[in-house]
Amino acid sequence: MKAFKLENEPKIATGFKTPENYFDDFSAKVLQQISEEKEVKVIPIYKRKKVLSLLAAAVVVIAMMIPIVNNYNNTSKELDEDTLETYLAYQSNLNQYDLIQNLDAKDIKKLSKNVAIEDETLEDILATNPNIEHLISE
């Protein structure tokens, strides 16, 4: 590897130069600019009609978005009865014993309240069904 000698290489001149006598009175200029007090314009918010109208528009938009966001977050994750019944009806590997195993006492009470079969309907089913023995054994 070739040895690099910084002193022997030609030097490149920088492109930046300061004006003559720039730093002689620099501190005096800075102190003069600091000591000058500049008046700052303060514009009160109630005089700005655009700001008030934009603020009112933002409030209206937010107020209209509240029901949409609330409805979006509260969508029910539960299945409705028809969908569940259709799903269970078309599953061939599901039988009544699987359903019975997953029912609680509370669920059984709900089912007994909902089932109301009239005597005539029950007699018609038993009279027209040839497998009475099978129905009785279940």
Side-chain angles (χ1 to χ4, degrees):
M1 183 171 177
K2 186 177 175 182
F4 181 72
K5 296 182 181 176
L6 189 62
E7 295 83 22
N8 295 341
E9 297 294 322
K11 298 188 178 177
I12 300 172
T14 63
F16 301 104
K17 294 185 180 181
T18 57
E20 303 242 350
N21 301 325
Y22 180 75
F23 291 107
D24 292 340
D25 56 349
F26 181 73
S27 60
K29 287 180 182 177
V30 170
L31 288 174
Q32 182 183 6
Q33 288 179 354
I34 291 174
S35 65
E36 292 178 7
E37 292 184 24
K38 295 182 179 178
E39 187 176 326
V40 179
K41 277 188 165 182
V42 177
I43 301 172
I45 194 164
Y46 62 87
K47 288 188 177 180
R48 306 266 333 232
K49 292 183 180 179
K50 282 187 180 180
V51 174
L52 287 176
S53 63
L54 289 175
L55 183 64
V59 168
V60 168
V61 168
I62 290 173
M64 293 181 81
M65 290 296 291
I66 288 173
I68 296 170
V69 171
N70 195 13
N71 190 19
Y72 179 74
N73 289 336
N74 289 339
T75 54
S76 177
K77 303 282 188 222
E78 297 178 12
L79 295 173
D80 60 338
E81 292 178 11
D82 295 334
T83 307
L84 185 60
E85 186 177 344
T86 305
Y87 175 76
L88 293 175
Y90 289 109
Q91 293 299 318
S92 61
N93 59 353
L94 187 66
N95 58 21
Q96 63 186 2
Y97 301 109
D98 293 334
L99 290 174
I100 291 171
Q101 287 176 352
N102 292 323
L103 292 177
D104 296 341
K106 198 185 303 180
D107 295 331
I108 294 172
K109 285 181 183 178
K110 284 183 185 177
L111 287 173
S112 66
K113 289 180 184 176
N114 292 339
V115 176
I117 300 176
E118 295 180 8
D119 293 335
E120 295 173 2
T121 308
L122 188 57
E123 287 176 6
D124 289 340
I125 292 172
L126 291 174
T128 57
N129 196 343
N131 288 334
I132 295 174
E133 295 172 2
H134 177 69
L135 291 173
I136 294 172
S137 65
E138 285 186 11

